[in-house]
Amino acid sequence: ILTPQELEDYDRETIIYNIDRIKTGRAFIRTNSEDDLSQRILALENHLAEKPDDSDAYFNLMYLYFDNGQYEHCIGAINNRISIGGISLLPVLSQMKIYYFRGKAALKLGRYKAAIADMQQTLGIMASGGTTDNSPSYRFGVYAFLAEAYLGEKEYEECLAYGTRCINIYTGNHWAWDKEVSSIRYIMALAYEAKEDPASCKKMIDLIIANDPSYQPAAEKKNPNLFR
């Protein structure tokens, strides 16, 4: 049984905690302001100036910085969240997102090795989760970014291997052709081109154009001089 003082302390801490959750949760409430995203970022940054150990605030900033194209800041927010600790206590999906977003930000910055390491870490975390954590759409996303990162690292066989896994997910689930599958097939075409396999590159480009004529990178790649 708690003493009156302990109850008072508990109530005060609970109120403070709930106020902090409200503040961090507001980060995802959009407004009609022209600089809406910047304002929401600033609100979280101001909150963290007062509460530098608020792990939820760093987690939310991760999303906002990425959406705002502030990839270095995104990585910094994630690193701060990791340094606070307790990652292994989070739900598997939250753990996945931490390394997934850091990998995506690294990929945007052309840091391919770092992106590969974080995406592989994401796959390792997924392996410890259940069916929902290993959904085909999640796996496709990780495989696609790994294919892109391995292309950047000039590890073309790995790029093609992960690209093939993406294609297998699409065909296995009978998903309709969309921009994502055009993008992954284009990455594979670039890998074939780098491997000096013009026949396989041409086959991939032709397949993209046949199913997605508006996919501009493939249309630009298809020219009489490329496949001579």
Side-chain angles (χ1 to χ4, degrees):
I1 298 174
L2 297 177
T3 66
Q5 182 62 50
E6 289 172 332
L7 281 170
E8 182 179 336
D9 292 342
Y10 175 81
D11 288 342
R12 181 171 58 253
E13 290 171 3
T14 301
I15 291 169
I16 292 172
Y17 175 83
N18 289 332
I19 290 173
D20 288 344
R21 297 292 66 73
I22 291 170
K23 287 181 178 179
T24 56
R26 284 176 179 166
F28 296 114
I29 300 175
R30 299 178 182 274
T31 69
N32 294 323
S33 170
E34 289 185 1
D35 58 347
D36 165 67
L37 187 54
S38 296
Q39 288 181 359
R40 286 186 283 138
I41 288 172
L42 181 60
L44 275 182
E45 289 174 339
N46 289 339
H47 171 69
L48 280 167
E50 300 176 6
K51 300 286 181 65
D53 293 328
D54 188 337
S55 59
D56 286 350
Y58 287 117
F59 191 85
N60 292 349
L61 264 179
M62 168 187 81
Y63 290 103
L64 301 185
Y65 280 143
F66 190 89
D67 287 347
N68 206 37
Q70 295 176 266
Y71 303 120
E72 287 283 9
H73 283 67
C74 175
I75 291 171
I78 294 168
N79 289 341
N80 284 334
R81 173 60 192 91
I82 291 172
S83 70
I84 291 172
I87 300 299
S88 62
L89 302 177
L90 295 173
V92 170
L93 186 57
S94 295
Q95 295 181 48
M96 288 162 48
K97 287 180 179 179
I98 286 172
Y99 294 98
Y100 179 73
F101 269 88
R102 192 170 70 174
K104 285 206 303 180
L107 187 57
K108 288 287 189 180
L109 294 169
R111 299 172 187 169
Y112 303 117
K113 287 185 185 297
I116 290 168
D118 278 334
M119 289 300 167
Q120 294 289 4
Q121 178 85 351
T122 304
L123 287 178
I125 294 169
M126 290 173 74
S128 68
T131 303
T132 302
D133 305 312
N134 285 272
S135 70
S137 58
Y138 289 155
R139 285 204 165 269
F140 178 90
V142 178
Y143 292 158
F145 285 123
L146 277 168
E148 184 178 349
Y150 277 119
L151 177 68
E153 272 296 292
K154 300 181 180 181
E155 294 186 36
Y156 304 121
E157 293 299 337
E158 289 291 333
C159 169
L160 292 170
Y162 280 104
T164 299
R165 291 187 187 188
C166 288
I167 301 305
N168 289 341
I169 288 174
Y170 256 78
T171 56
N173 289 278
H174 307 290
W175 291 348
W177 192 293
D178 60 12
K179 185 178 179 180
E180 286 187 321
V181 77
S182 292
S183 178
I184 194 63
R185 285 190 180 275
Y186 184 70
I187 287 171
M188 295 174 73
L190 295 180
Y192 282 125
E193 182 182 23
K195 280 167 52 67
E196 300 182 353
D197 184 352
S200 296
C201 178
K202 180 178 185 302
K203 181 179 179 180
M204 197 65 72
I205 293 295
D206 288 345
L207 190 60
I208 296 169
I209 292 175
N211 288 275
D212 188 1
S214 65
Y215 189 75
Q216 198 62 30
E220 293 174 356
K221 178 67 72 174
K222 186 176 176 63
N223 65 72
N225 297 319
L226 177 63
F227 302 117
R228 286 188 304 181

